[in-house]
Amino acid sequence: MASGHRTSFEPNAVPHPGATVLEYLDFHGWSQRDLARRSGLTPKTISEICNGRAPITPPTALSFEKVFQRPAHLWLNLQRHFDEAEARRRELDKSPNWSEWARKFPLSEMKRLKFSLPAGHSDADSLLNFFGVSSPESWNSVWKASAVAYRQTRKFRTREECIAAWVREAEIVARELDVAEFDEQRLRSSLDELRHLTRKRADEIMDPVQRICAGAGVAVVLVPELRNTGISGCARWLTDKKALVGLTLRYKTDDQLWFTLFHEIGHILLHRNKRSFVVDNAAEDLSDRVIDPEMQQYEAEASRFSADTLIPPRALSDFIRKEAFTNDSIHDFAEIVGVGPGIVVGRLQREGLLARHQGNALKQKLHSSFTDER
């Protein structure tokens, strides 16, 4: 028989447990007032439950267990499923604003570079899961609380969302490494072993670098650069006892990669109590603009640490005085000091003793395949 009462039906909706209470009342032939008498609850409470305006609480579930001979956990599970569905519905109502937030991130590029994005979610949910936050507002709070200090090159326009995505991927990759507690003395004593690795083929260095640094409490990871970041590397304290060095192949030569690695190690050793999170993009020189003026000193100190660790200053001064910068002389000098010849070329270029195009045959080229086995 047709009825003038129209009922809306949502196929994916989870009903309020009050609907089940009504089914049991109908089965027993009881009224809501009968249930109130049997359960000891007020008629108002029973009415609100049956009309979906009040929840089934644990005491109510225990009462219904006795009245309907159905366990309390059944009623509580019905309530839990309903509450979860309602929370998801309210979250879905926010999705238009969340989608606008998600569009600020380079999702297509992140997927192409195989970032750790969960599958089977909307763009916004995928990003929230990726960052480990519950909402765009909480993402903003977490990122701002990181107090990141970073440099910005004049050549590139950076976007905070892109930088945050790269940093987060570095953190996720770092979690996969077995890293000891930080040991400053062990890290310092490992520097010479690290610099001698500059003589190896570039595609052979990541495993020993990660092993050496992990033994001293530093997770070293290589993550492809995202556009609009200009990142060459970052140094971050993940915990009080674990540090992270993240690297990219922004400049695509071995000398820049090594300079950046030692630069970030310099931040960890020299600035632990001053800056816990630094993103760098100034591996080529010190002319890039520093967003935080206080960082100028720290950047200069980290760069000096890197340069002097890679090539002993006195040996470099003796070599420079000879003013003979041929490929052969550079190669011989590199043999003497125990570093790759590309390291020497890069240093001479930074000092202005070689033009940017000179000596590059002695550098090792780094290709995208270098990061394929992250």
Side-chain angles (χ1 to χ4, degrees):
M1 180 175 64
S3 170
H5 178 69
R6 186 179 301 275
T7 302
S8 62
F9 178 67
E10 297 179 43
N12 294 323
V14 176
H16 187 279
T20 304
V21 174
L22 287 173
E23 291 177 3
Y24 274 88
L25 290 179
D26 184 62
F27 175 78
H28 288 286
W30 295 339
S31 67
Q32 293 183 25
R33 188 169 292 276
D34 290 332
L35 179 57
R37 294 191 187 100
R38 290 174 179 274
S39 64
L41 300 171
T42 66
K44 180 181 178 182
T45 297
I46 296 299
S47 175
E48 289 181 339
I49 290 174
C50 289
N51 286 285
R53 293 195 298 269
I56 292 181
T57 63
T60 301
L62 290 173
S63 296
F64 285 178
E65 180 180 70
K66 296 180 178 68
V67 173
F68 293 123
Q69 286 82 54
R70 292 294 181 269
H73 65 75
L74 178 145
W75 303 104
L76 292 174
N77 282 339
L78 290 172
Q79 186 66 52
R80 178 175 60 81
H81 289 311
F82 174 77
D83 291 343
E84 180 181 339
E86 281 295 285
R88 292 188 183 280
R89 181 188 60 77
R90 289 191 293 270
E91 193 171 90
L92 190 62
D93 291 340
K94 303 174 183 176
S95 61
N97 291 334
W98 288 14
S99 296
E100 183 179 348
W101 169 76
R103 282 193 290 272
K104 297 178 181 179
F105 292 88
L107 267 171
S108 296
E109 188 181 9
M110 291 166 68
K111 291 175 182 177
R112 178 176 61 80
L113 295 175
K114 300 178 182 179
F115 276 39
S116 307
L117 291 165
H121 297 269
S122 67
D123 287 350
D125 282 345
S126 182
L127 282 166
L128 293 174
N129 279 274
F130 172 74
F131 283 109
V133 295
S134 62
S135 69
E137 292 76 18
S138 56
W139 170 82
N140 189 62
S141 296
V142 169
W143 179 247
K144 296 300 183 187
S146 298
V148 58
Y150 59 95
R151 307 184 68 170
Q152 178 175 309
T153 176
R154 288 189 289 268
K155 298 177 183 177
F156 297 96
R157 183 177 180 180
T158 62
R159 285 175 51 195
E160 190 172 48
E161 292 82 6
C162 298
I163 294 172
W166 183 88
V167 169
R168 177 57 176 165
E169 179 67 10
E171 293 172 351
I172 292 173
V173 175
R175 284 206 308 252
E176 300 173 0
L177 301 181
D178 184 14
V179 178
E181 291 188 0
F182 180 70
D183 185 332
E184 179 179 345
Q185 186 56 44
R186 181 166 179 173
L187 182 58
R188 288 186 181 276
S189 65
S190 300
L191 295 176
D192 198 50
E193 185 179 4
L194 286 171
R195 68 185 290 275
H196 277 92
L197 289 175
T198 63
R199 299 179 58 79
K200 296 179 69 69
R201 282 175 40 187
D203 58 1
E204 297 176 349
I205 64 173
M206 278 309 295
D207 284 346
V209 165
Q210 287 181 324
R211 174 181 52 78
I212 294 167
C213 291
V218 181
V220 177
V221 299
L222 189 63
V223 176
E225 181 194 3
L226 292 169
R227 288 191 295 270
N228 298 313
T229 61
I231 292 175
S232 58
C234 80
R236 182 172 193 183
W237 285 94
L238 299 174
T239 69
D240 288 342
K241 298 179 179 179
K242 181 177 179 179
L244 162 69
V245 166
L247 304 171
T248 71
L249 299 183
R250 177 182 172 194
Y251 297 106
K252 297 180 173 58
T253 56
D254 65 327
D255 64 309
Q256 296 289 355
L257 182 67
W258 284 111
F259 185 88
T260 302
L261 171 64
F262 282 97
H263 180 97
E264 305 307 336
I265 290 176
H267 279 308
I268 289 170
L269 289 173
L270 302 175
H271 307 137
R272 181 177 184 181
N273 298 322
K274 301 170 184 176
R275 287 293 184 185
S276 63
F277 189 177
V278 179
V279 171
D280 282 299
N281 61 9
E284 284 189 306
D285 53 52
L286 293 177
S287 64
D288 290 340
R289 181 166 61 93
V290 178
I291 301 299
D292 182 347
E294 184 184 5
M295 283 304 296
Q296 183 66 65
Q297 175 186 348
Y298 300 153
E299 288 300 313
E301 290 172 353
S303 290
R304 177 53 55 190
F305 173 89
S306 179
D308 291 349
T309 301
L310 284 166
I311 304 177
R314 180 173 295 180
L316 179 65
S317 296
D318 292 342
F319 176 64
I320 289 175
R321 279 198 295 269
K322 297 177 182 178
E323 297 184 351
F325 307 133
T326 64
N327 282 5
D328 287 341
S329 66
I330 290 172
H331 188 277
D332 291 344
F333 174 69
E335 288 281 340
I336 293 171
V337 296
V339 295
I343 305 300
V344 180
V345 172
R347 179 62 182 276
L348 294 175
Q349 289 175 343
R350 277 191 291 274
E351 298 288 344
L353 299 171
L354 287 180
R356 289 294 179 187
H357 67 278
Q358 291 180 302
N360 289 333
L362 296 177
K363 296 183 180 182
Q364 295 190 60
K365 302 294 183 183
L366 307 179
H367 304 287
S368 59
S369 59
F370 192 71
T371 60
D372 283 350
E373 298 182 358
R374 287 188 300 123

